[in-house]
Amino acid sequence: MTPRGIREGEDDVQALDSEDLDVEEVLALVNDDKDPARTPGDPGRGESRDARVSHAPQDRHDRHQATPWPEARTIAARAARPLAVRRAHVSVTLGDALGLVLAAPLSALTDLPSFDTSAMDGWAVAGPGPWRVRDEGVLAGSAAPAPLVDGEAARIATGARIPPDTTAVLRSEHGRTDAQGRLHPTRDLSHGQDIRPRGQECRSGDQLLPAGAVVTPAVLGLAAAAGYDTLAAVPRPRVEVLVLGDELLTEGRPHDGLIRDALGPMLPPWLRALGAEVTAVRRIGDDAKALHRAVTRSAADLIVTTGGTASGPVDHVHPVLRRIEAELLVDGVQVRPGHPMLLARVRDDQHLVGLPGNPLAAVSGLLTLAEPLLRTLAARPAPEPYALPLRDEVHGHPYDTRLVPVVLRGDHAVPLHYYGPAMLRGIAAADALAVVPPGGARAGQETELLDLPWATAGVAACFT
């Protein structure tokens, strides 16, 4: 069982929940304590260095090689900027545009509405009442109606074209007919009442939305109303997922040292929620040659690998990256879980994000490195940062940022249990991840939150 505390009694380390650290992290903390180069108060890593990180063999938990969490996210976003500028725009039908970003302003192709229309069911009337009701009514979509004369009314449906010389629309509930069939108002009627005049919403050529707006269901409706069949959009970044590990099962219960693959089912829909098109999910196992072949043959904008980012005998990601002379932009991040994540530039137009194999650690890597890079490639706006006070205290890592699942209750964030690196129970119930600074956060402390996409937009909106 993981120890509850590390170096109990020392001032710079808080007691940690048993679910906070796995054995690997405990050993890392012990090694940190033995590091003679670290002076008291020295955060230990994050010194400025050249973007091309050395590929020399190193302890993956060497705190001097890892990147601070905020800096890692910034590096990932910046890495994609040159590619985002060069990406060709696509023309997509309205049915395929949901979730994309407009590559050009959305301007009205016609006046909205394009003719005077009735805002209500009732009667189109001319002049003061009472009115003689015309036999034929006016329905939405019908041909241009004949003009009205003073003292005349015509039945009209919502959205129907207003007859020429109409002065107002009398709502159905505000009129009555007498024994002679003449129409009388039951309340005062003002000139132009319940008529939507042509161009009330916009005139032809008006800009409705700027380039960079995300296409939501409402945007699709507006585009259709404005006369569009297709939209100019930024294409989805293409992502290929490579699932590593000989110990992974794709079905059935875990047995005989084998475990179920949680990342293969989880990552593709999550990546789609981040705006990506997942082109393939390949199971590589612990095979260096197969990994090399998959990486070098991939045409994706981003390759995402799962596991194999540490320094064990079957951790092949770093050796493969060295072999193909990839440029490491981030090699380890000061975050728990997820410390041994990485970001590499494989080619000028392709990146690789290496996620740790533990499920919640992989989620941490996804939100730390993949999300900013994909957001930049897809030209999506960065979410507005926000914070809420924590309802309960959260123990922190002594030196690293922690990402802790929370649920949102009123004006507080409630931390959830089961947030160890290998656990998904907490994140499965969460609305967001709290960004807990080194040393932890007390109850009531304002803490930055990272929204989970399905908690804000709904599952269907995220994944379709």
Side-chain angles (χ1 to χ4, degrees), residues 342-357:
L342 63 86
L343 169 64
R345 181 178 289 117
V346 178
R347 300 194 303 258
D348 286 343
D349 60 349
Q350 185 182 67
H351 290 83
L352 182 147
V353 168
L355 303 178

Side-chain angles (χ1 to χ4, degrees), residues 27 65 148 160 231 236 244 368:
L27 292 176
Q65 297 298 323
L148 294 177
L231 293 174
R236 301 180 195 276
L244 312 184
T368 300

Side-chain angles (χ1 to χ4, degrees), residues 11 42 62 69 123 125 174 178 207 223 244 257 263 308 380 412 443:
D11 292 338
D42 178 12
D62 183 351
W69 182 77
W123 296 269
V125 300
H174 296 163
D178 59 24
Q207 180 174 305
L244 312 184
L263 298 181
R380 288 190 171 195
H412 282 77

Side-chain angles (χ1 to χ4, degrees), residues 241 262-272 278 304-306 355 362 366:
V241 178
L263 298 181
M266 179 174 70
L267 290 181
W270 203 319
L271 288 163
R272 284 193 287 270
V278 179
V304 175
T305 63
T306 69
L355 303 178
L366 191 68

Side-chain angles (χ1 to χ4, degrees), residues 210-273:
V214 177
V215 179
T216 64
V219 171
L220 292 177
L222 177 62
Y228 284 86
D229 299 314
T230 61
L231 293 174
V234 179
R236 301 180 195 276
R238 297 164 299 158
V239 178
E240 188 168 341
V241 178
L242 306 180
V243 180
L244 312 184
D246 289 340
E247 76 281 11
L248 301 177
L249 295 169
T250 59
E251 60 183 15
R253 300 180 184 180
H255 62 85
D256 301 326
L258 303 177
I259 61 173
R260 280 295 298 271
D261 169 28
L263 298 181
M266 179 174 70
L267 290 181
W270 203 319
L271 288 163
R272 284 193 287 270

Side-chain angles (χ1 to χ4, degrees), residues 36-57:
R38 187 174 64 82
T39 58
D42 178 12
R45 53 186 168 178
E47 300 91 340
S48 61
R49 59 189 186 280
D50 190 272
R52 184 178 290 275
V53 181
S54 169
H55 280 291

Side-chain angles (χ1 to χ4, degrees), residues 106-267:
L106 186 73
S107 298
L109 302 179
T110 181
D111 296 344
L112 285 182
S114 54
F115 46 80
D116 293 349
T117 62
S118 175
M120 303 294 295
D121 291 336
W123 296 269
V125 300
W131 303 276
R132 182 184 70 262
V133 180
R134 184 189 289 175
D135 291 336
E136 65 276 8
V138 185
L139 300 178
S142 61
L148 294 177
V149 298
D150 279 354
E152 188 178 32
R155 267 286 183 184
I156 194 166
T158 301
R161 183 180 300 193
I162 294 292
D165 300 325
T166 297
T167 55
V169 170
L170 178 68
R171 300 185 185 189
S172 296
E173 63 269 27
H174 296 163
R176 65 173 181 83
T177 54
D178 59 24
Q180 287 75 41
R182 294 174 66 82
L183 175 65
H184 298 261
T186 59
R187 60 177 60 189
D188 291 340
L189 185 65
S190 59
H191 191 278
Q193 184 169 318
D194 288 324
I195 295 175
R196 291 190 63 208
R198 176 174 182 163
Q200 182 185 53
E201 186 170 2
C202 64
R203 289 292 185 181
S204 179
D206 286 353
Q207 180 174 305
L208 305 177
L209 289 170
V214 177
V215 179
T216 64
V219 171
L220 292 177
L222 177 62
Y228 284 86
D229 299 314
T230 61
L231 293 174
V234 179
R236 301 180 195 276
R238 297 164 299 158
V239 178
E240 188 168 341
V241 178
L242 306 180
V243 180
L244 312 184
D246 289 340
E247 76 281 11
L248 301 177
L249 295 169
T250 59
E251 60 183 15
R253 300 180 184 180
H255 62 85
D256 301 326
L258 303 177
I259 61 173
R260 280 295 298 271
D261 169 28
L263 298 181
M266 179 174 70
L267 290 181

